[in-house]
Amino acid sequence: MARIAGGISTSHIPAIGGAIAKGLQQDAYWKPFFEAFPPVRSWLKEVRPDVAIIVYNDHGLNFFLDKLPTFAIGAAPSYGSSDEGWGIPTIPPVRGAPELSWAIIEGVVAEEFDVTTCQEMLIDHAATVPLQLLWPEGNPPVAIVPVAVNTVQHPLPSPKRCLALGRAIHRAVAAYPVDLNVVVISTGGLSHQLDGQRAGFINPEFDRLCLDALVADPERLTGYSVADIVELSGTQGVEILNWIVARGILGAQVRERHRTYHIPISNTAAAVQVLQPEGLKNS
Ligand code: DHB
Ligand code: FE
């Protein structure tokens, strides 16, 4: 049976891709962010995942405002990447896991989630930057299942719906009859607002509340509406929805293995969190 080994959530700021390209990891500005990753990579070496489910939001590369699915799941044999305008490097195509993708799609549709299925899909900085952070040597040793959440054009799915989708994905993975180690990578957030009167808005208090709730009480986040999150976390802070889906995928109880919180990288409160389902080895 497939086994969910844990989850890594990280901010996905495009400038990180630029810093990697320029080798600025030890630069004073970048060091506090990049320092989060050696322990996360050691954890990944313990876990040795076969597949990564990547919960992220597309930023106008694969879907634009004319057609924007609320939830889209990739079922492609491979995923190319492209730069949607930041001037950062792309990465070589990443292997897909179409059989697992279809099992997840079948599972969530049977639970009445109406998802868009993508047999061709490009990934943007929200997937490529985290993959580069986790496997800096290139060629991630995992196949991926991208799950794209609309955090861009309102109406967005509620935190409650996102947690429920994650839980449905959890059940589909747990029922998948192939021996696979699966990790969940979610990306985006935490608080940030890129434009408008509150550009630069960051809310460390709410970010900490979210990080704590993701460990011990994810239901707490379902008490917020999308409008509440925009107010508390900024217009792009709603990318926390990706983290909430991921938390649902991890199952009932988790233990926090790692947390880094650093303000700011570019315009964003940059956070990294590793959660591991309770009762698993690798402790
Ligand atoms: C930034 C953050 C994002 O989440 C994003 O998608 C683009 C830019 C930033 O802080 O620069
Ligand atoms: Fe973003």
Side-chain angles (χ1 to χ4, degrees), residues 18 57 84 95 125 133 146-147 167 183 214 243 251:
N57 57 295
E84 75 279 17
R95 241 177 338 122
H125 75 270
L133 287 165
V147 176
R167 288 177 173 160
V183 289
L214 285 162
W243 293 44

Side-chain angles (χ1 to χ4, degrees), residues 49-54 74-80 91-98 101 123 131 135 139-146 180:
D50 304 297
V51 180
I53 299 174
I54 305 188
S78 126
Y79 300 89
I91 62 172
V94 185
R95 241 177 338 122
S101 290
I123 49 174
L131 287 170
W135 290 284
N139 289 328
V142 287
I144 63 168
V145 175
L180 285 180

Side-chain angles (χ1 to χ4, degrees), residues 12-14 57 59 86 125-126 151 187-189 192 194 236 239 268:
H12 62 213
I13 306 149
N57 57 295
H59 295 72
W86 300 100
H125 75 270
T151 69
T187 93
H192 63 302
L194 299 180
Q236 280 73 35
E239 290 174 347
T268 299

Side-chain angles (χ1 to χ4, degrees), residues 5-263:
I8 301 157
S9 296
T10 174
S11 305
H12 62 213
I13 306 149
I16 299 165
I20 293 171
K22 294 186 200 121
L24 297 179
Q25 290 88 336
Q26 295 303 315
D27 181 272
Y29 178 84
W30 291 103
K31 201 167 187 274
F33 176 73
F34 281 101
E35 258 174 5
F37 285 90
V40 178
R41 292 196 285 263
S42 308
W43 177 82
L44 268 175
K45 286 204 173 104
E46 276 175 48
V47 166
R48 284 187 284 121
D50 304 297
V51 180
I53 299 174
I54 305 188
V55 189
Y56 74 112
N57 57 295
D58 182 90
H59 295 72
L61 171 69
N62 198 69
F63 311 116
F64 200 60
L65 302 182
D66 58 337
K67 298 181 198 71
L68 224 170
T70 301
F71 298 121
I73 301 184
S78 126
Y79 300 89
S81 65
S82 190
D83 171 25
E84 75 279 17
W86 300 100
I88 57 173
T90 56
I91 62 172
V94 185
R95 241 177 338 122
E99 287 177 4
L100 177 61
S101 290
W102 283 114
I104 291 171
I105 292 163
E106 295 275 357
V108 301
V109 171
E111 294 201 33
E112 299 178 350
F113 287 90
D114 306 314
V115 295
T116 299
T117 55
C118 303
Q119 295 186 67
E120 281 183 13
M121 195 173 188
L122 285 174
I123 49 174
D124 72 9
H125 75 270
T128 61
V129 165
L131 287 170
Q132 288 175 287
L133 287 165
L134 296 175
W135 290 284
E137 63 283 1
N139 289 328
V142 287
I144 63 168
V145 175
V147 176
V149 178
N150 172 23
T151 69
V152 172
Q153 177 161 261
H154 293 254
L156 312 184
S158 67
K160 181 171 172 227
R161 188 72 175 151
C162 288
L163 189 62
L165 175 71
R167 288 177 173 160
I169 295 174
H170 171 91
R171 287 185 283 274
V173 173
Y176 189 64
V178 177
D179 185 19
L180 285 180
N181 238 358
V182 178
V183 289
V184 186
I185 299 171
S186 65
T187 93
L190 291 181
S191 57
H192 63 302
Q193 170 142 349
L194 299 180
D195 47 23
Q197 282 185 343
R198 293 200 311 167
F201 176 77
I202 279 178
N203 184 348
E205 201 184 321
F206 184 68
D207 289 338
R208 292 218 156 79
L209 181 154
C210 290
L211 289 165
D212 290 343
L214 285 162
V215 182
D217 187 13
E219 295 291 347
R220 176 162 186 194
L221 300 176
T222 67
Y224 294 98
S225 67
V226 167
D228 293 334
I229 296 183
V230 168
E231 193 170 327
L232 288 161
S233 189
T235 40
Q236 280 73 35
V238 286
E239 290 174 347
I240 188 76
L241 293 174
N242 305 328
W243 293 44
I244 295 173
V245 173
R247 178 61 185 84
I249 301 175
L250 293 177
Q253 303 286 329
V254 297
R255 191 153 62 87
E256 188 174 50
R257 293 289 306 258
H258 179 87
R259 179 191 296 196
T260 302
Y261 182 78
H262 174 68
I263 301 172

